Amino acid sequence: MLTLQRPIVDRRRRGAARTLLGGLVTLACGALLLVWMQGLDRAPATARAGVSAPEDPGFSPLDATADHEDLDPGRDGWESEVFSEAAGARLGELAKVLGEGGRTTPESLEPLLGLAFRCSDLRPDLLEDAYEKGGVSVRRGVIPGGEALILLHEGPAGLAGALEGLAAPWPPRATPRVRLKVIAVNRGDDGEWWTTVAFRVAASDATTSVQQSGTWFCRWGSRPGGEAVLRTLQVIAFDEVVRTTSGEPWFADCTQAVLGSNPSYADQLVPGIRAWSERLDRATGASFLGYEGVAVGDVDGDGLEDLYVCQVGGLPNRLFIQQPDGTALDATERSGADYVDPTHSALLCDLDGDGDQDLVVATDPITIHSNDGNGRFTLETTFDATIVYSMAAADIEGDGDLDLYLCRYSEAKDTAPLPYHDANNGPPNVFLRNEGGFTFTDATLSVGLDRNNRRFSFAAAWIDYDADGDADLYVANDYGRNNLYQNDRGRFVDVAGEAGVEDISAGMSVAWSDVDVDGDLDLYVGNMFSSAGNRIAYQRRFKQSADAGTRAEFQRHARGNSLFANRGDGTFEDVSEASGVTMALWSWASKFVDINNDGLEDIYVANGMVTNEDPGDL
């Protein structure tokens, strides 16, 4: 049964903290700014790059970064990673040239190239139209086969010409942003190195924006001193998106216009992660990895959606009430939910069936509040569950009451996932049955949701995927396989394996939609694309003692996001690579939304990782 506790936060302590900390912000505001950091996947070696954590329950993946010598691939005989760094440095020089607009001279390129260098067109001559509407055009390169037909350009002058061709659609006054990342590296029997490189460019001015992405295949040689030089460069995939002002923009950043009139916006939400990391004491429970979230709902019954913003420890959570003119006013002080405790997630939903949005806040423990209908919340009860990174509500039994599912991640900072690729040592998630009157019972065991329930869970979503009239549950787990709990009259069975959606990877988000418009719901899972993982996990010496299945699971772990098409018979087909949706970097959140109002739902992915002034420094 649920154990009732006194409120965890003393109101006087909260008030004092508000006075002391004055105006403070959250990393979750990245969601409000509508502009997300591009993913950087230079993760700690044991945490993200396909290396198993030691069999030591006291080990933290971050401990591996304490001694930088431990991260030297040369010390461990990983010649491929040593070469990857060398090749990456040369590609960085080429990216710098591209960042100058693609305008260069053969003389400036000569140091990067071998004597017999050849390359293909970097922007294919043949581009196939994939989309054209509202001033936006999408084209994909048609790549002819046969190296002899493709490698048309020779020497530094040839590469200079190919770079000019690539830059042809860029606005002339734009400063392009260029990324070249080595995502695969291998060595032939003849000692020749080759790499697969992910290529991305964004260039824009006041009238035109161009985005290019694709894949290059590079062969490498070396100079007598061992310095890597390019021998061949071949485009094997290419996409180009061009938007002009002839069409109305789909989105505009309205953050300042909506929130800017509130002092808390400038004082708390604008400064950014670095500013607060230098000012907040760790004793407050502050974390600066961006795990905090937001909740959206109409809390005052005026038909307009309002916003509850979760904060790191030491910063008060914020409630913004939307006004008829589209602005939002800070109503935190009167809300009764201005916690300064570490808050990992929040949920707005009608728990007592009175027609207004109640509030669940994932402090440690969970706090559950009733709403008076005007956005003022009263703490009704708490539940002892820690590190709840997301929550989902559904009426699983059809009794008219919304029940809660709590996704938990890790009880202790020094808990390492074991084994790394299929961890099963996380804290159990919790299912709370709503008994009415803000009374909740832990019914995890009685409804069957205790099976396969020791993962590192990031997200969950209720959906009736089998169209039998009740709510099923999909859970996305980090470091391993996911769960699909099928609901059978209030009892659940994990059918993820037989349905084909275990999706062993770094699960961080889940979204459902009928993407192929065949009448059933398809599944999209946000994971992690890791260039380091893709390079290492395919090396011959990687986990040589493991069986092929285990190696394949590690390789899958770094592939990226997944799209599963519902076959309508209880099983799903993995169409991720065929649909081109895997490469979305580190995908913390994903959502289906019809961005261009054409009746088809698109995918929006929030990605990124913590960085500093040096974009290469995690």
Side-chain angles (χ1 to χ4, degrees):
M1 294 294 292
L2 177 67
T3 301
L4 299 182
Q5 302 178 5
R6 298 300 299 166
I8 61 170
V9 179
D10 186 303
R11 295 280 176 171
R12 291 169 297 178
R13 179 167 66 83
R14 282 213 314 231
R18 288 197 303 269
T19 301
L20 179 64
L21 295 174
L24 313 171
V25 123
T26 178
L27 184 60
C29 267
L32 304 178
L33 297 177
L34 304 180
V35 179
W36 293 81
M37 294 181 295
Q38 292 300 307
L40 297 173
D41 59 359
R42 292 184 54 194
T46 56
R48 291 289 187 184
V51 181
S52 296
E55 300 291 331
D56 176 3
F59 170 81
S60 167
L62 296 180
D63 292 343
T65 64
D67 182 356
H68 292 285
E69 290 186 354
D70 292 342
L71 299 180
D72 179 3
R75 287 169 56 92
D76 298 324
W78 280 90
E79 294 182 8
S80 59
E81 282 300 285
V82 174
F83 179 78
S84 175
E85 291 185 5
R90 305 305 277 167
L91 291 169
E93 297 176 48
L94 182 57
K96 183 178 180 180
V97 171
L98 285 169
E100 296 170 351
R103 294 175 290 275
T104 186
T105 64
E107 290 75 20
S108 65
L109 295 171
E110 188 171 358
L112 307 177
L113 310 180
L115 292 177
F117 172 81
R118 293 184 300 159
C119 73
S120 68
D121 288 328
L122 299 184
R123 181 175 184 263
D125 281 338
L126 186 56
L127 296 174
E128 184 176 75
D129 292 334
Y131 179 88
E132 185 81 38
K133 187 176 180 180
V136 175
S137 64
V138 180
R139 295 183 176 89
R140 295 196 171 101
V142 179
I143 311 298
E147 182 175 302
L149 297 176
I150 298 175
L151 302 181
L152 306 174
H153 308 281
E154 297 183 359
L159 179 57
L163 289 173
E164 290 179 6
L166 178 68
W170 301 354
R173 292 176 297 280
T175 301
R177 300 185 301 278
V178 183
R179 288 178 64 90
L180 297 174
K181 292 181 70 80
V182 177
I183 58 175
V185 58
N186 215 330
R187 193 175 194 177
D189 294 334
D190 59 357
E192 178 187 60
W193 290 100
W194 57 262
T195 61
T196 305
V197 177
F199 156 76
R200 288 194 172 191
V201 165
S204 61
D205 63 10
T207 62
T208 305
S209 61
V210 178
Q211 177 179 299
Q212 296 171 327
S213 60
T215 308
W216 293 353
F217 181 81
C218 302
R219 295 186 183 276
W220 298 83
S222 62
R223 291 203 171 91
E227 186 180 34
V229 290
L230 277 166
R231 289 183 55 197
T232 65
L233 193 165
Q234 178 179 340
V235 173
I236 57 178
F238 183 86
D239 290 330
E240 183 175 275
V241 181
V242 178
R243 180 190 172 276
T244 64
T245 54
S246 60
E248 290 295 323
W250 289 345
F251 294 97
D253 185 350
C254 59
T255 314
Q256 174 67 36
V258 172
L259 300 178
S261 63
N262 301 290
S264 61
Y265 172 68
D267 294 342
Q268 181 172 336
L269 304 184
V270 170
I273 186 171
R274 181 168 183 176
W276 293 117
S277 67
E278 294 173 348
R279 299 177 186 179
L280 289 179
D281 194 316
R282 291 284 179 174
T284 64
S287 171
F288 299 99
L289 293 178
Y291 294 149
E292 297 69 41
V294 299
V296 176
D298 178 10
V299 303
D300 58 356
D302 63 356
L304 301 173
E305 301 279 24
D306 309 306
L307 179 68
Y308 185 78
V309 183
C310 302
Q311 303 281 267
V312 300
L315 305 180
N317 296 345
R318 291 287 172 186
L319 176 65
F320 295 97
I321 304 294
Q322 187 178 170
Q323 305 300 298
D325 64 358
T327 63
L329 294 183
D330 189 340
T332 303
E333 295 295 327
R334 66 178 182 85
S335 70
D338 50 341
Y339 291 100
V340 294
D341 303 73
T343 303
H344 311 294
S345 59
L347 183 65
L348 285 165
C349 59
D350 186 4
L351 294 173
D352 57 357
D354 65 353
D356 56 34
Q357 300 287 294
D358 305 306
L359 176 66
V360 187
V361 182
T363 53
D364 296 335
I366 297 294
T367 60
I368 302 175
H369 310 75
S370 62
N371 186 353
D372 70 353
N374 295 304
R376 293 181 176 87
F377 297 98
T378 300
L379 180 64
E380 298 288 350
T381 188
T382 65
F383 187 84
D384 190 14
T386 59
I387 317 297
V388 174
Y389 278 174
S390 67
M391 300 176 283
D395 179 8
I396 72 155
E397 299 163 317
D399 61 359
D401 293 323
L402 289 178
D403 310 300
L404 297 173
Y405 188 80
L406 314 179
C407 287
R408 302 177 66 209
Y409 191 81
S410 177
E411 291 180 308
K413 293 181 179 179
D414 60 355
T415 300
L418 299 173
Y420 163 83
H421 69 294
D422 194 13
N424 199 25
N425 64 319
N429 296 341
V430 179
F431 172 73
L432 296 181
R433 177 187 284 127
N434 190 341
E435 308 288 4
F438 287 98
T439 300
F440 292 85
T441 302
D442 184 348
T444 313
L445 177 63
S446 64
V447 300
L449 287 172
D450 60 312
R451 298 293 304 274
N452 302 327
N453 188 30
R454 295 300 302 271
R455 306 291 181 177
F456 290 71
S457 300
F458 261 129
W462 296 98
I463 199 77
D464 184 10
Y465 84 94
D466 52 4
D468 64 351
D470 52 28
D472 311 298
L473 178 68
Y474 192 86
V475 183
N477 302 312
D478 202 359
Y479 300 109
R481 67 191 71 212
N482 299 334
N483 312 105
L484 175 59
Y485 293 106
Q486 187 178 43
N487 188 349
D488 182 11
R489 293 174 292 183
R491 288 282 302 177
F492 291 88
V493 178
D494 187 358
V495 298
E498 60 194 74
V501 292
E502 283 188 312
D503 198 39
I504 294 179
S505 190
M508 292 189 280
S509 66
V510 52
W512 293 86
S513 178
D514 182 7
V515 299
D516 49 9
V517 199
D518 63 352
D520 49 34
L521 292 168
D522 310 301
L523 170 66
Y524 187 70
V525 183
N527 296 308
M528 175 193 70
F529 176 89
S530 170
S531 57
N534 276 283
R535 292 194 309 268
I536 294 172
Y538 286 90
Q539 296 297 312
R540 296 174 186 173
R541 60 170 302 201
F542 176 73
K543 288 201 167 292
Q544 291 176 315
S545 61
D547 59 75
T550 299
R551 287 172 57 87
E553 289 172 355
F554 272 94
Q555 292 163 357
R556 166 64 193 88
H557 204 99
R559 186 189 74 177
N561 295 357
S562 299
L563 178 62
F564 297 97
N566 192 334
R567 294 190 177 103
D569 61 358
T571 66
F572 293 77
E573 178 185 359
D574 187 343
V575 296
S576 310
E577 293 181 306
S579 58
V581 299
T582 59
M583 177 54 161
L585 306 175
W586 281 26
S587 303
W588 293 102
S590 55
K591 184 175 180 61
F592 283 104
V593 59
D594 183 4
I595 292 175
N596 56 348
N597 296 319
D598 64 353
L600 300 174
E601 290 206 309
D602 312 298
I603 304 174
Y604 183 81
V605 180
N607 60 32
M609 190 53 193
V610 177
T611 188
N612 213 320
E613 290 182 348
D614 176 2
D617 178 26
L618 196 63

